[in-house]
Amino acid sequence: MIIVFLRTIIIFLSIIVSMRLMGKRQLGELEPSELVVTVLISDITSHPLENIGSPLLYGLIPIFSLLCCEILISGLTVKSIRFRKFICGAPSIIIAGGKVNQKEMLKNRFTVDELMEELRKSGVMDISTVKHAILETDGTLSILPYASQSPVTPAQMALNVSDNEYPVIVVSDGRVLSENLKVLGRDEKWLNRQLKSRGVSSPGEVYIMSADREGKIYLAKKEKGS
Amino acid sequence: MKKELAAAILLGLILIGCIINSRAVTLLAEELTGLVEDAGEDAISGLWEDAGQDIDDAFALLSRRGIYIGVFLPADDMDRIADSLDNLREQIHSRNAAGTESAVHLALTRLESIASRERVRIGSIF
C-alpha cells in the first residue's frame, strides 16, 4: 500500500511540475496541442498508479516527453507564424460587416445555435447589433458591436476621469504581505497606523485588507470563531 | 529560449536513456538466453551438475541486476521469467530430460518476449 501512496505522490508532483512549466495558458483556454497533452497526461498517469507491477518510469517518461514536446511546440509557435498557424489554426471571421459568413461557419462546423449561444454568453441578444464576430483558435467568440450599439466611453463624452489605481492585498487572513506593501511604497508602520485608525490593534484581527497608491483602503475584520 | 533548450536537452536525455535501456534489456536477455541454452545442452549431454550450475548463474545474474530490473522492467514479465527458470531448475534437479527440454523451450520463449519488447521495429511500435 505504501508503494501505491509513494507512486501517487511522485506522479502528482510530476504533473504539477509539468503543468507549472507549461505555463498559465495551459490552465485557462487550451490550444489544440495543449488539449492533447492534458488529455494524454491524465490518461497515461492512471496506468502506473493502478498497476504496481508496471515501472513508475512507464508513467514518468511519457509525462516528461509530452512536457518537452509541448514546450518545444509552444516555443516554435512563438517564433514562427507559419508553424503557429499550422498548430493552432487561424481565427475565423464568422460575422463580417454584419453579414454571417456561412462558408466560415461550415468550415468550422459552427452551427447557428452555437453562434447564438456564444452571442448570448457575451450579452448580445440581437445578432443584428453585431458588426464583426471572430471565432478564436481556442473556440471563444470575440464580438465587436456596431458603434451605435457600443457602450459610451468617458473619452467619447469628453469627460475628464482619473485612471484607477490597482489595489493590492496587504493583509490576508491575518498575515501581512510585506512584498505588496513594498509595491505600494509603504511599510508596516504605515499599516499599523491605518489599522489603529480603524480600531484594529493588530494585523492578526484582519481577514482581508487591500490598499492602492491613492490611499483607498478596504478592510474586513475576522469574524469571531473563524 | 532557455526553457525550450532545457526541454530539447531533457527530450534528448530521455531518448538516450531509452536507447541505453533497450540495449541493457537486450544484453540481459542475451546473457540469460545463453545460460539457459547452455543448461539445456548440458542436460542433453547428461551433465546435470553443470546444467544446475548454469541455472544458478542465471539466478545470480537476475539477483545482481535486481535494482535495474525493479526500476525499468515490468514486474509481471520478470516474475514469469523467474518462474520459468525455477521450473527449469526443478527439472534439472530431478534429472528429467523431457521436462528439461520443454522447460528450456518455455524459458527461451519468455526471454525472447522480453528482448523483443524493446527492439525498435515497425511492428513493435504499432
Side-chain angles (χ1 to χ4, degrees), chain A residues 147 149-161:
Chain A
Q149 302 291 332
S150 301
V152 181
T153 64
Q156 286 170 328
M157 296 187 76
L159 291 174
N160 194 9
V161 289

Side-chain angles (χ1 to χ4, degrees), chain A residues 83-147:
Chain A
F83 189 74
R84 180 162 63 232
K85 204 171 173 185
F86 174 69
I87 294 292
C88 305
S92 299
I93 300 172
I94 297 291
I95 300 176
K99 191 176 175 221
V100 177
N101 188 338
Q102 294 181 27
K103 266 188 190 168
E104 282 298 313
M105 292 273 288
L106 195 67
K107 196 174 140 191
N108 289 286
R109 292 181 295 283
F110 204 60
T111 65
V112 174
D113 292 337
E114 284 168 335
L115 174 63
M116 293 311 294
E117 190 181 322
E118 289 298 324
L119 290 176
R120 284 195 297 275
K121 278 182 190 169
S122 304
V124 177
M125 293 296 168
D126 184 359
I127 193 170
S128 68
T129 62
V130 178
K131 188 178 181 191
H132 295 295
I134 299 158
L135 185 62
E136 305 293 356
T137 54
D138 60 11
T140 56
L141 196 69
S142 299
I143 295 157
L144 178 73
Y146 281 104

Side-chain angles (χ1 to χ4, degrees), chain B residues 4-108:
Chain B
E4 285 79 9
L5 190 65
I9 291 169
L10 181 59
L11 202 61
L13 287 176
I14 290 173
L15 181 64
I16 291 168
C18 290
I19 292 168
I20 291 171
N21 179 54
S22 169
R23 187 79 197 102
V25 170
T26 309
L27 214 66
L28 177 68
E30 278 174 4
E31 283 182 52
L32 287 171
T33 301
L35 289 167
V36 169
E37 281 174 348
D38 286 351
E41 283 167 16
D42 288 341
I44 290 167
S45 311
L47 302 169
W48 296 104
E49 297 295 329
D50 290 350
Q53 185 58 49
D54 289 332
I55 293 306
D56 287 344
D57 289 347
F59 273 107
L61 180 63
L62 280 179
S63 174
R64 276 202 306 277
R65 305 273 174 88
I67 293 174
Y68 165 74
I69 289 168
V71 173
F72 293 97
L73 302 178
D76 293 349
D77 290 347
M78 294 319 293
D79 286 348
R80 274 198 290 274
I81 285 173
D83 284 348
S84 63
L85 290 179
D86 205 34
N87 177 37
L88 178 56
R89 181 155 62 181
E90 274 179 28
Q91 298 302 329
I92 288 169
H93 282 179
S94 60
R95 305 201 168 185
N96 178 351
T100 301
E101 198 180 337
S102 65
V104 165
H105 180 71
L106 180 66
L108 289 178

Side-chain angles (χ1 to χ4, degrees), chain A residues 56-76:
Chain A
L56 194 57
L57 282 175
Y58 283 27
L60 293 178
I61 286 176
I63 289 175
F64 286 110
S65 301
L66 286 168
L67 164 69
C68 294
C69 290
E70 168 54 25
I71 289 173
L72 287 175
I73 284 177
S74 301
L76 283 171

